[in-house]
Amino acid sequence: MKWLKEVYDLFVDDPKLSILALSALTMAFVIARAGAKGTAGLAIFLVVAGSLWYSTSRN
């Protein structure tokens, strides 16, 4: 579970990353309410994965 703590620490230490994750959840909520639940899941994955990649490659 050490990897989970490291991922958690990324979100806590990087405010931009946490804002991007919250915006991904908001965007996915709107997409899911429109009826495209598979697309909403894909949107969460792509935005959060992209944000994590950007955050880790920047440091």
Side-chain angles (χ1 to χ4, degrees), residues 4-59:
L4 187 59
K5 183 181 178 338
E6 289 179 13
V7 170
Y8 174 79
D9 287 343
L10 279 174
F11 284 100
V12 171
D13 293 339
D14 193 353
K16 284 189 225 176
L17 187 59
S18 60
I19 290 172
L20 284 172
L22 287 175
S23 65
L25 288 174
T26 304
M27 180 176 58
F29 176 75
V30 170
I31 293 170
R33 294 291 289 173
K37 294 179 181 170
T39 305
L42 181 63
I44 290 174
F45 174 76
L46 291 176
V47 173
V48 171
S51 301
L52 284 170
W53 172 79
Y54 177 75
S55 178
T56 56
S57 68
R58 189 180 52 167
N59 291 334

